[in-house]
Amino acid sequence: MTATLNTELLANMLRAKRGKTGLRTVAEEMGDVSVATLSRIEQGKVPDVDTFIKICRWLDVPTDTFVVRNEGETLSQTDNQQTIVAHLRAERELDPETIQMLVKLVNLAYTTKSPRPVSEKQE
């Protein structure tokens, strides 16, 4: 299996979470990440593994969120859930409270076993 890193999603989520917070402040929060490195990542560059892991921890998302598998490879239910949540967190037009509520809704939908729909015509 080969995979690539979705650097666009990573950059969007990094920008979305930091909002108006400066790169210097975010770099300090992450620890041992330079401002220049964060700037390059926001421009779509691929980070080194250590930096990537620190960013994922800071974003509070699993590293698999940004892994793109080749065509023909199927995603598991967990992969789908993580992808949806990642896209929600990267959304820039919704306010953070709305995003949090939608993330909770998605997580609930994936953890709740919904009963099969009852057909309208039961005998």
Side-chain angles (χ1 to χ4, degrees):
M1 173 180 87
T2 58
T4 57
L5 190 66
N6 185 339
T7 55
E8 182 180 353
L9 180 60
L10 180 63
N12 287 340
M13 287 183 68
L14 180 59
R15 278 191 299 271
K17 181 168 180 182
R18 81 174 179 89
K20 294 181 181 182
T21 305
L23 285 174
R24 184 171 314 283
T25 303
V26 172
E28 290 170 3
E29 288 176 9
M30 287 182 193
D32 201 28
V33 176
S34 74
V35 173
T37 298
L38 290 179
S39 177
R40 284 192 299 274
I41 293 166
E42 285 192 356
Q43 294 170 19
K45 304 296 182 201
V46 178
D48 64 78
V49 175
D50 290 336
T51 302
F52 175 64
I53 291 169
K54 287 177 185 176
I55 292 171
C56 289
R57 284 184 185 146
W58 185 77
L59 291 171
D60 195 29
V61 296
T63 55
D64 285 353
T65 302
F66 306 102
V67 176
V68 179
R69 291 156 182 84
N70 285 339
E71 281 187 47
E73 295 177 5
T74 59
L75 295 174
S76 71
Q77 179 175 326
T78 303
D79 291 335
N80 287 331
Q81 178 184 1
Q82 290 172 354
T83 301
I84 293 167
V85 169
H87 282 282
L88 283 170
R89 289 187 173 144
E91 177 60 51
R92 300 184 90 183
E93 293 188 27
L94 297 175
D95 68 273
E97 187 175 317
T98 300
I99 291 170
Q100 278 304 103
M101 294 305 292
L102 289 170
V103 166
K104 286 180 183 180
L105 180 64
V106 168
N107 289 335
L108 180 64
Y110 276 95
T111 56
T112 303
K113 299 274 188 197
S114 57
R116 297 186 119 191
V118 178
S119 66
E120 291 182 25
K121 192 174 183 182
Q122 283 187 329
E123 297 184 35

